[in-house]
Structures are given as C-alpha cells and as structure tokens.
Amino acid sequence: MGQRVLFTGARQVVTCAGAPRSRRGPAMADAGVRTNVAVLVDGERIAAVDHEAALRRAARDATVIDCAGRVLTPGFVDSHTHAIFGRARYEEQELRATGVPYMEIARRGGGIHASVRDLRQRGEDELFALAEPRLRALAAHGVTTVEVKSGYGLSLDDELKSLRVIARLTDALPMRVRATWLGAHEIPLDFRERANGRREYVQLLVHEMLPVIAREQLASYADVFCEPGVFTVEESREILAAARQHGLQLKLHADELSAGGGAELAAELRALSADHLAAVSDGGIAALAEAGTVATLLPGTMLFLGKRDHAPARRMIERGVAIALATDFNPGTSPTTNFPLVLTLGVSQLHLSAGEAMIAGTVNGAGALGLADHVGQLAQGFSADLALWDIEDVRELPYWYGQGRCHASWARGKPCHVHDLALTFPR
Ligand SMILES: [Zn+2]
C-alpha cells in the first residue's frame, strides 16, 4: 500500500468515468459531474471515488487535501505537441497577417525548415533547458500527460538528439511524457533539391533511422505528415508499416489542408489517431468510425493561422467517431501551452458541449495514446492524475477563456504543479 491521500471538499468532482476506452458519439456528452464526492488516492492509483462521508470513515489514516469548494477533474492529456524546438518564430505571424504567402515565407528562410536549421545547431542540454519550462507550463494548465514529437531534426543524429531530450524530460518531470518519432515531418531541403531525393529520404527513414530508434527504445509512437507536397499516402503507408514492424504504435497528421486520403490511411492501418482533419471527407469520417481511430482535433492551430474552416467535429460525433482535443504546441502554427483555451475553442469553434470537450481532453486524449485503460478518468484503478481548478462549475473551464484557473495538478499521485504549497503532499 502506498501513501493514502483523500481529496475532500470539492464543489464538483468531474470523473469522466466509464468504459476503459475512447468514447464515441452521444457517450461523449456525459463527463460524470458529481457532488458530495471524495477521491481516495493510494500511491500512484485511485483507490476509490465515493460519497465523502463514507470515504472519510473508510480512510481515517489518509492525508486529507481540502479542495475548498474548487472543481476536481482528471488531469488533461495533451496528445499532440512538438515541444522540442529552439527559437520562436514570431516574425512569421506578422508576415502572414500582412498577406505574405507561406511559400514566400519559406523562401525567406522561414517555416519548418527554419526550425530544422535552428535545432541542428543546438546541443542536447540546450534543447532540454528550452523544453523543460514549456512542459511545466502545460502542467500549470492542468496537463498531466503529454505526447512530445521529434521532427525538427530530419537527420539520424538530430532526430536521435531530439528523442533523447524527450527521454530526459520523461525522467525529470512528474508528468507522464510519451515520445513520438516524427522523422517524416518534412523532406529536408538538401533531399528536396536532389533528383531522387524524396525516395532517398524515405529509404533513410525506414532503413537507417527507424531501426536505431526502435533498438534504443526512444519512441512509443511513429507519426508522418501526410499531405500533398509533403509525404504522399503511399509514402506514409510505407513508413508507418515499417514502424509497426519495429513495434511502434501509429499516429498520422492527416487531411489538414485537403482531403487526400489521410484519414482513410490511418483507419486502414488501425492507427491510434488521425490528427488535424480540418479537410476530412465523409468517406474519411466513416473509415475513422469503423476503425475506432481517434480523431485528434487542433483548433488552436486554426485560430492562430486565422483560418475558419475548422474540422467537422459535430458530423464526426454524429457518425460515431471519438474526438480528442490537443494543443499542437509548436513554434510555427500553435505556440500555446494553455490547454483549457483549446477546450474553449472546442466549444466555440467546433460546437462541442462542455462535457464533450472534457471527454475530448481526458479519456479520448488517453485513447489517442493507447492509454485509455488507465489514464483520463477519476475511477478506481486509474492513474492518480488530477487537476484542481479555481472555479465552481466545470462549464467555467471553457468559459473563462485564455485564463489560468488551474490551482494544482498531480500525476501518478505526485504534485505536478502547485499554486498553493499547502497542497503539496507531505513527504
Ligand atoms: Zn502536428
């Protein structure tokens, strides 16, 4: 038995409890808002969620944390970030706003290749020092599980360097950090300039990078940027099929700009998630529903780029797709660590209810990482990942938009972020 801690006095406990898997369709609407309920944590796990009076009697030995009328929820799962990068790219925002097209920004040395050039010049320690406060900022917004992708290295050494930084973050931070290899984020410029360069880069990914990454166990997932002009559906299939052979689970950047068959490919490969999907087709939606692949929607990216053609979230829910929400935290198109702001956009732009947004940020985010059997719910046996909010009703989470209302968070029973030191566990 580990250290027992009893969370009492919450105005609402939002359990998100249900079957231990991604939630679809009408089932997404019920976030399990309960009152007069306490949560008992035993070590790294939740031991019970029950009436407060009963739990107080049953757990007299437990350390009590008084939630003082706040709202207690599962910690959020940010299942899509690109947090390993060097410098910010704020100058591109201004260029975009004044109408300079992306291709011209790229020609002037901006865009993803700017982040690649920059990351290649930095050492592992420097990248770690840059990334660590970014993940702590996510934790300060209630995120207790975060997926982090490589993908600004695009060479064997630089992808390995990025993934080693993620491994160090996994050890250094209390939050749960999961690594994704995204060597197929873009085709490096030097390969693009060569006649047979595309083919050579895919060969490098499959035959040189992937075996080393799998052998050193530096990633749990593989991801590909499948979009016209980047990786084709055929190339994406080849890379992901090889990744599966090496034991990695699959994710896919799909149908962000045009319906090019990305969602269908993710479904065909039984990927954990297809991400972006602003331009997904009806056929793609049907394929995701049939396969049970989670649709991870990233409305912060659309907001930041000034785009209005958001992913058809309501149609997806009607057709039985499980939707997750994530920040897409990255230096080019979504430089935010504010997870509740993404919930706001889920409600105001994707037309989700507050309950659906909660499930999308917890249970279904965990589903997008293959963790839904023990992460994302306040339920017996689940990981003790909790967030405490300075609000009285869970609907205030998407309502106070852009604010930092997270009072404290805990991952696997350990403090992840605290405003009030009295809330840290005694050691
Ligand atoms: Zn992305």
Side-chain angles (χ1 to χ4, degrees):
M1 195 187 286
Q3 186 187 12
R4 301 221 295 173
V5 179
L6 185 63
F7 289 81
T8 63
R11 193 174 303 267
Q12 293 179 340
V13 173
V14 184
T15 63
C16 298
R21 56 179 171 270
S22 306
R23 210 155 303 158
R24 310 157 173 234
M28 275 187 68
D30 183 9
V33 181
R34 299 179 65 182
T35 52
N36 299 316
V37 153
V39 178
L40 179 63
V41 168
D42 188 346
E44 297 191 356
R45 299 270 169 182
I46 292 169
V49 179
D50 206 343
H51 293 294
E52 182 160 330
L55 272 187
R56 275 186 184 276
R57 280 194 300 276
R60 289 184 205 280
D61 61 315
T63 303
V64 171
I65 290 186
D66 180 6
C67 297
R70 298 184 179 91
V71 173
L72 190 64
T73 71
F76 285 121
V77 180
D78 193 352
S79 64
H80 187 137
T81 81
H82 304 254
I84 310 301
F85 60 89
R87 70 176 293 271
R89 287 174 21 214
Y90 42 80
E91 63 284 346
E92 292 174 26
Q93 185 185 27
E94 198 171 29
L95 290 172
R96 247 190 329 266
T98 53
V100 180
Y102 179 80
M103 291 314 290
E104 173 61 18
I105 293 173
R107 200 192 60 77
R108 295 186 199 178
I112 178 173
H113 296 295
S115 290
V116 173
R117 263 195 319 277
D118 177 75
L119 180 134
R120 286 178 174 180
Q121 290 168 5
R122 296 179 194 263
E124 200 179 299
D125 290 346
E126 198 182 349
L127 289 170
F128 176 85
L130 285 165
E132 197 224 34
R134 294 171 186 154
L135 296 200
R136 288 195 186 278
L138 280 166
H141 283 296
V143 173
T144 52
T145 297
V146 61
E147 181 258 22
V148 183
K149 302 174 197 293
S150 69
Y152 295 117
L154 307 187
S155 72
L156 176 61
D157 286 350
D158 295 301
E159 286 293 304
L160 286 174
K161 178 173 70 183
S162 302
L163 290 167
R164 288 190 182 117
V165 171
I166 301 173
R168 283 174 61 180
L169 292 164
T170 307
D171 294 338
L173 292 169
M175 65 205 303
R176 183 182 292 99
V177 180
R178 304 282 291 181
T180 297
W181 169 61
L182 181 59
H185 196 187
E186 176 54 288
I187 295 158
L189 282 179
D190 46 333
F191 283 84
R192 273 193 184 274
E193 284 156 7
R194 292 211 289 274
N196 204 29
R198 287 187 73 84
R199 191 70 216 136
E200 286 173 25
Y201 189 61
V202 173
Q203 296 292 313
L204 171 75
L205 289 171
V206 169
H207 297 296
E208 291 181 44
M209 244 187 246
L210 185 51
V212 180
I213 283 151
R215 189 169 63 240
E216 297 195 17
Q217 298 187 323
L218 285 169
S220 302
Y221 319 96
D223 192 351
V224 175
F225 203 104
C226 178
E227 197 72 45
V230 194
F231 292 92
T232 66
V233 167
E234 291 70 30
E235 289 164 342
S236 303
R237 183 186 285 112
E238 181 181 350
I239 296 161
L240 290 181
R244 166 165 290 159
Q245 289 285 318
H246 282 281
L248 299 185
Q249 293 181 285
L250 310 183
K251 303 174 80 64
L252 189 66
H253 281 66
D255 301 337
E256 178 176 358
L257 306 169
S258 58
E264 289 87 339
L265 176 65
E268 172 196 320
L269 295 172
R270 295 294 189 265
L272 287 173
S273 72
D275 300 37
H276 281 292
L277 301 171
V280 68
S281 69
D282 281 345
I285 293 173
L288 293 175
E290 193 276 321
T293 294
V294 175
T296 301
L297 308 185
L298 310 166
T301 308
M302 305 299 283
L303 172 90
F304 190 74
L305 293 176
K307 293 185 176 181
R308 294 190 178 85
D309 41 355
H310 282 277
R314 284 256 61 92
R315 213 182 327 146
M316 290 184 186
I317 290 175
E318 280 160 22
R319 309 267 160 94
V321 177
I323 286 179
L325 288 169
T327 60
D328 194 20
F329 174 59
N330 80 81
T333 63
S334 188
T336 186
T337 53
N338 188 329
F339 199 91
L341 176 61
V342 177
L343 300 192
T344 300
L345 298 173
V347 173
S348 73
Q349 306 301 303
L350 302 178
H351 308 292
L352 305 181
S353 68
E356 288 168 337
M358 282 302 297
I359 295 297
T362 55
V363 176
N364 288 358
L369 298 176
L371 304 174
D373 60 347
H374 68 288
V375 172
Q377 304 185 24
L378 299 185
Q380 188 182 13
F382 274 64
S383 181
D385 305 339
L386 306 97
L388 187 61
W389 303 89
D390 286 319
I391 53 176
E392 297 183 349
D393 186 292
V394 67
R395 288 169 292 188
E396 291 180 73
L397 259 183
Y399 172 78
W400 297 110
Y401 84 103
Q403 298 193 14
R405 293 272 177 153
C406 184
H407 190 82
S409 61
W410 294 263
R412 287 175 287 217
K414 300 249 168 29
C416 210
H417 159 75
V418 274
H419 270 164
D420 179 353
L421 289 176
L423 279 172
T424 49
F425 292 178
R427 285 173 187 275

PDB file of all heavy atoms in Angstrom, residues 80-82 149 182 185 223 225 253 256 275-276 298 301 328-330 333, ligand 1:
ATOM      1  N   HIS A  80      -0.817  15.785 -28.571  1.00  0.00           N
ATOM      2  CA  HIS A  80      -0.171  16.223 -29.821  1.00  0.00           C
ATOM      3  C   HIS A  80       0.615  17.507 -29.576  1.00  0.00           C
ATOM      4  O   HIS A  80       0.038  18.592 -29.537  1.00  0.00           O
ATOM      5  CB  HIS A  80      -1.244  16.448 -30.899  1.00  0.00           C
ATOM      6  CG  HIS A  80      -0.707  16.736 -32.271  1.00  0.00           C
ATOM      7  ND1 HIS A  80      -1.221  16.166 -33.422  1.00  0.00           N
ATOM      8  CD2 HIS A  80       0.297  17.555 -32.699  1.00  0.00           C
ATOM      9  CE1 HIS A  80      -0.568  16.605 -34.478  1.00  0.00           C
ATOM     10  NE2 HIS A  80       0.361  17.461 -34.074  1.00  0.00           N
ATOM     11  N   THR A  81       1.943  17.379 -29.354  1.00  0.00           N
ATOM     12  CA  THR A  81       2.797  18.574 -29.239  1.00  0.00           C
ATOM     13  C   THR A  81       4.107  18.353 -29.996  1.00  0.00           C
ATOM     14  O   THR A  81       4.553  17.226 -30.201  1.00  0.00           O
ATOM     15  CB  THR A  81       3.159  18.935 -27.779  1.00  0.00           C
ATOM     16  OG1 THR A  81       4.247  18.121 -27.337  1.00  0.00           O
ATOM     17  CG2 THR A  81       1.983  18.793 -26.832  1.00  0.00           C
ATOM     18  N   HIS A  82       4.698  19.484 -30.373  1.00  0.00           N
ATOM     19  CA  HIS A  82       6.031  19.495 -30.995  1.00  0.00           C
ATOM     20  C   HIS A  82       6.907  20.385 -30.109  1.00  0.00           C
ATOM     21  O   HIS A  82       7.318  21.467 -30.511  1.00  0.00           O
ATOM     22  CB  HIS A  82       5.967  20.095 -32.402  1.00  0.00           C
ATOM     23  CG  HIS A  82       4.997  19.436 -33.338  1.00  0.00           C
ATOM     24  ND1 HIS A  82       5.394  18.603 -34.375  1.00  0.00           N
ATOM     25  CD2 HIS A  82       3.642  19.489 -33.434  1.00  0.00           C
ATOM     26  CE1 HIS A  82       4.329  18.194 -35.053  1.00  0.00           C
ATOM     27  NE2 HIS A  82       3.251  18.711 -34.509  1.00  0.00           N
ATOM     28  N   LYS A 149       6.666  15.143 -29.824  1.00  0.00           N
ATOM     29  CA  LYS A 149       7.204  14.594 -31.073  1.00  0.00           C
ATOM     30  C   LYS A 149       8.601  15.136 -31.343  1.00  0.00           C
ATOM     31  O   LYS A 149       8.900  16.289 -31.019  1.00  0.00           O
ATOM     32  CB  LYS A 149       6.312  14.997 -32.259  1.00  0.00           C
ATOM     33  CG  LYS A 149       4.857  14.549 -32.129  1.00  0.00           C
ATOM     34  CD  LYS A 149       4.021  15.127 -33.276  1.00  0.00           C
ATOM     35  CE  LYS A 149       2.533  15.055 -32.977  1.00  0.00           C
ATOM     36  NZ  LYS A 149       1.995  13.703 -32.913  1.00  0.00           N
ATOM     37  N   LEU A 182       8.840  11.573 -35.273  1.00  0.00           N
ATOM     38  CA  LEU A 182       8.248  12.219 -36.438  1.00  0.00           C
ATOM     39  C   LEU A 182       9.366  12.627 -37.414  1.00  0.00           C
ATOM     40  O   LEU A 182       9.454  13.758 -37.860  1.00  0.00           O
ATOM     41  CB  LEU A 182       7.397  13.431 -35.997  1.00  0.00           C
ATOM     42  CG  LEU A 182       6.675  14.242 -37.072  1.00  0.00           C
ATOM     43  CD1 LEU A 182       5.694  13.404 -37.887  1.00  0.00           C
ATOM     44  CD2 LEU A 182       5.955  15.445 -36.466  1.00  0.00           C
ATOM     45  N   HIS A 185       8.383  14.440 -40.778  1.00  0.00           N
ATOM     46  CA  HIS A 185       7.662  15.707 -40.591  1.00  0.00           C
ATOM     47  C   HIS A 185       7.715  16.524 -41.879  1.00  0.00           C
ATOM     48  O   HIS A 185       6.799  17.269 -42.213  1.00  0.00           O
ATOM     49  CB  HIS A 185       8.326  16.480 -39.445  1.00  0.00           C
ATOM     50  CG  HIS A 185       7.513  17.609 -38.877  1.00  0.00           C
ATOM     51  ND1 HIS A 185       8.012  18.480 -37.950  1.00  0.00           N
ATOM     52  CD2 HIS A 185       6.235  18.004 -39.082  1.00  0.00           C
ATOM     53  CE1 HIS A 185       7.088  19.367 -37.616  1.00  0.00           C
ATOM     54  NE2 HIS A 185       5.996  19.098 -38.295  1.00  0.00           N
ATOM     55  N   ASP A 223       4.840   8.830 -36.321  1.00  0.00           N
ATOM     56  CA  ASP A 223       3.876   9.755 -36.925  1.00  0.00           C
ATOM     57  C   ASP A 223       4.463  10.200 -38.268  1.00  0.00           C
ATOM     58  O   ASP A 223       5.686  10.193 -38.460  1.00  0.00           O
ATOM     59  CB  ASP A 223       3.697  10.953 -35.976  1.00  0.00           C
ATOM     60  CG  ASP A 223       2.516  11.859 -36.317  1.00  0.00           C
ATOM     61  OD1 ASP A 223       1.913  11.680 -37.392  1.00  0.00           O
ATOM     62  OD2 ASP A 223       2.225  12.750 -35.497  1.00  0.00           O
ATOM     63  N   PHE A 225       3.721  13.236 -41.531  1.00  0.00           N
ATOM     64  CA  PHE A 225       2.951  14.375 -42.031  1.00  0.00           C
ATOM     65  C   PHE A 225       2.473  14.018 -43.440  1.00  0.00           C
ATOM     66  O   PHE A 225       3.199  14.176 -44.418  1.00  0.00           O
ATOM     67  CB  PHE A 225       3.808  15.639 -42.057  1.00  0.00           C
ATOM     68  CG  PHE A 225       3.009  16.903 -42.031  1.00  0.00           C
ATOM     69  CD1 PHE A 225       2.909  17.656 -40.867  1.00  0.00           C
ATOM     70  CD2 PHE A 225       2.342  17.354 -43.151  1.00  0.00           C
ATOM     71  CE1 PHE A 225       2.164  18.820 -40.827  1.00  0.00           C
ATOM     72  CE2 PHE A 225       1.590  18.516 -43.123  1.00  0.00           C
ATOM     73  CZ  PHE A 225       1.504  19.253 -41.961  1.00  0.00           C
ATOM     74  N   HIS A 253      -0.548  12.739 -39.123  1.00  0.00           N
ATOM     75  CA  HIS A 253      -1.033  14.083 -39.470  1.00  0.00           C
ATOM     76  C   HIS A 253      -1.797  13.927 -40.779  1.00  0.00           C
ATOM     77  O   HIS A 253      -1.188  13.621 -41.813  1.00  0.00           O
ATOM     78  CB  HIS A 253       0.133  15.049 -39.701  1.00  0.00           C
ATOM     79  CG  HIS A 253       0.777  15.579 -38.464  1.00  0.00           C
ATOM     80  ND1 HIS A 253       1.479  14.789 -37.590  1.00  0.00           N
ATOM     81  CD2 HIS A 253       0.826  16.839 -37.967  1.00  0.00           C
ATOM     82  CE1 HIS A 253       1.948  15.556 -36.605  1.00  0.00           C
ATOM     83  NE2 HIS A 253       1.559  16.801 -36.810  1.00  0.00           N
ATOM     84  N   GLU A 256      -5.080  17.922 -43.206  1.00  0.00           N
ATOM     85  CA  GLU A 256      -5.095  19.257 -42.594  1.00  0.00           C
ATOM     86  C   GLU A 256      -5.557  20.298 -43.610  1.00  0.00           C
ATOM     87  O   GLU A 256      -6.375  21.163 -43.308  1.00  0.00           O
ATOM     88  CB  GLU A 256      -3.707  19.618 -42.061  1.00  0.00           C
ATOM     89  CG  GLU A 256      -3.677  21.029 -41.468  1.00  0.00           C
ATOM     90  CD  GLU A 256      -2.338  21.407 -40.841  1.00  0.00           C
ATOM     91  OE1 GLU A 256      -1.411  20.565 -40.823  1.00  0.00           O
ATOM     92  OE2 GLU A 256      -2.223  22.544 -40.361  1.00  0.00           O
ATOM     93  N   ASP A 275      -4.766  13.056 -36.925  1.00  0.00           N
ATOM     94  CA  ASP A 275      -4.730  14.368 -36.296  1.00  0.00           C
ATOM     95  C   ASP A 275      -4.892  15.493 -37.321  1.00  0.00           C
ATOM     96  O   ASP A 275      -4.424  15.361 -38.450  1.00  0.00           O
ATOM     97  CB  ASP A 275      -3.406  14.530 -35.538  1.00  0.00           C
ATOM     98  CG  ASP A 275      -3.210  13.477 -34.446  1.00  0.00           C
ATOM     99  OD1 ASP A 275      -3.606  12.314 -34.672  1.00  0.00           O
ATOM    100  OD2 ASP A 275      -2.658  13.802 -33.389  1.00  0.00           O
ATOM    101  N   HIS A 276      -5.517  16.584 -36.897  1.00  0.00           N
ATOM    102  CA  HIS A 276      -5.851  17.776 -37.713  1.00  0.00           C
ATOM    103  C   HIS A 276      -7.233  17.620 -38.336  1.00  0.00           C
ATOM    104  O   HIS A 276      -8.208  18.117 -37.816  1.00  0.00           O
ATOM    105  CB  HIS A 276      -4.811  18.087 -38.807  1.00  0.00           C
ATOM    106  CG  HIS A 276      -3.606  18.766 -38.285  1.00  0.00           C
ATOM    107  ND1 HIS A 276      -3.614  20.036 -37.786  1.00  0.00           N
ATOM    108  CD2 HIS A 276      -2.323  18.335 -38.172  1.00  0.00           C
ATOM    109  CE1 HIS A 276      -2.392  20.370 -37.388  1.00  0.00           C
ATOM    110  NE2 HIS A 276      -1.593  19.355 -37.601  1.00  0.00           N
ATOM    111  N   LEU A 298      -7.320  20.032 -33.532  1.00  0.00           N
ATOM    112  CA  LEU A 298      -6.350  21.011 -33.049  1.00  0.00           C
ATOM    113  C   LEU A 298      -6.823  22.425 -33.387  1.00  0.00           C
ATOM    114  O   LEU A 298      -6.211  23.120 -34.206  1.00  0.00           O
ATOM    115  CB  LEU A 298      -4.986  20.709 -33.701  1.00  0.00           C
ATOM    116  CG  LEU A 298      -4.539  19.234 -33.602  1.00  0.00           C
ATOM    117  CD1 LEU A 298      -3.378  18.942 -34.539  1.00  0.00           C
ATOM    118  CD2 LEU A 298      -4.151  18.869 -32.174  1.00  0.00           C
ATOM    119  N   THR A 301      -4.536  25.687 -33.684  1.00  0.00           N
ATOM    120  CA  THR A 301      -3.765  25.921 -34.903  1.00  0.00           C
ATOM    121  C   THR A 301      -4.572  26.749 -35.892  1.00  0.00           C
ATOM    122  O   THR A 301      -4.058  27.690 -36.503  1.00  0.00           O
ATOM    123  CB  THR A 301      -3.400  24.561 -35.535  1.00  0.00           C
ATOM    124  OG1 THR A 301      -2.782  23.767 -34.525  1.00  0.00           O
ATOM    125  CG2 THR A 301      -2.467  24.721 -36.709  1.00  0.00           C
ATOM    126  N   ASP A 328      -1.392  20.996 -30.129  1.00  0.00           N
ATOM    127  CA  ASP A 328      -0.480  21.096 -31.281  1.00  0.00           C
ATOM    128  C   ASP A 328       0.654  22.077 -30.965  1.00  0.00           C
ATOM    129  O   ASP A 328       1.206  22.705 -31.881  1.00  0.00           O
ATOM    130  CB  ASP A 328      -1.235  21.533 -32.544  1.00  0.00           C
ATOM    131  CG  ASP A 328      -0.412  21.332 -33.830  1.00  0.00           C
ATOM    132  OD1 ASP A 328       0.541  20.538 -33.805  1.00  0.00           O
ATOM    133  OD2 ASP A 328      -0.731  21.982 -34.845  1.00  0.00           O
ATOM    134  N   PHE A 329       1.003  22.213 -29.691  1.00  0.00           N
ATOM    135  CA  PHE A 329       2.026  23.190 -29.285  1.00  0.00           C
ATOM    136  C   PHE A 329       3.266  23.076 -30.185  1.00  0.00           C
ATOM    137  O   PHE A 329       3.917  22.037 -30.231  1.00  0.00           O
ATOM    138  CB  PHE A 329       2.391  22.946 -27.817  1.00  0.00           C
ATOM    139  CG  PHE A 329       3.531  23.795 -27.336  1.00  0.00           C
ATOM    140  CD1 PHE A 329       3.438  25.174 -27.380  1.00  0.00           C
ATOM    141  CD2 PHE A 329       4.697  23.218 -26.861  1.00  0.00           C
ATOM    142  CE1 PHE A 329       4.499  25.968 -26.948  1.00  0.00           C
ATOM    143  CE2 PHE A 329       5.750  24.001 -26.423  1.00  0.00           C
ATOM    144  CZ  PHE A 329       5.655  25.377 -26.469  1.00  0.00           C
ATOM    145  N   ASN A 330       3.564  24.150 -30.922  1.00  0.00           N
ATOM    146  CA  ASN A 330       4.724  24.173 -31.832  1.00  0.00           C
ATOM    147  C   ASN A 330       5.059  25.620 -32.175  1.00  0.00           C
ATOM    148  O   ASN A 330       4.217  26.513 -32.014  1.00  0.00           O
ATOM    149  CB  ASN A 330       4.430  23.334 -33.087  1.00  0.00           C
ATOM    150  CG  ASN A 330       3.584  24.074 -34.108  1.00  0.00           C
ATOM    151  OD1 ASN A 330       4.084  24.887 -34.879  1.00  0.00           O
ATOM    152  ND2 ASN A 330       2.277  23.809 -34.107  1.00  0.00           N
ATOM    153  N   THR A 333       2.818  27.218 -35.790  1.00  0.00           N
ATOM    154  CA  THR A 333       1.383  27.363 -36.018  1.00  0.00           C
ATOM    155  C   THR A 333       0.522  27.271 -34.764  1.00  0.00           C
ATOM    156  O   THR A 333      -0.694  27.454 -34.855  1.00  0.00           O
ATOM    157  CB  THR A 333       0.877  26.290 -37.011  1.00  0.00           C
ATOM    158  OG1 THR A 333       1.064  24.997 -36.429  1.00  0.00           O
ATOM    159  CG2 THR A 333       1.615  26.365 -38.336  1.00  0.00           C
TER     160      THR A 333
HETATM  161 ZN    ZN B   1       1.466  18.455 -35.505  1.00  0.00          ZN
END
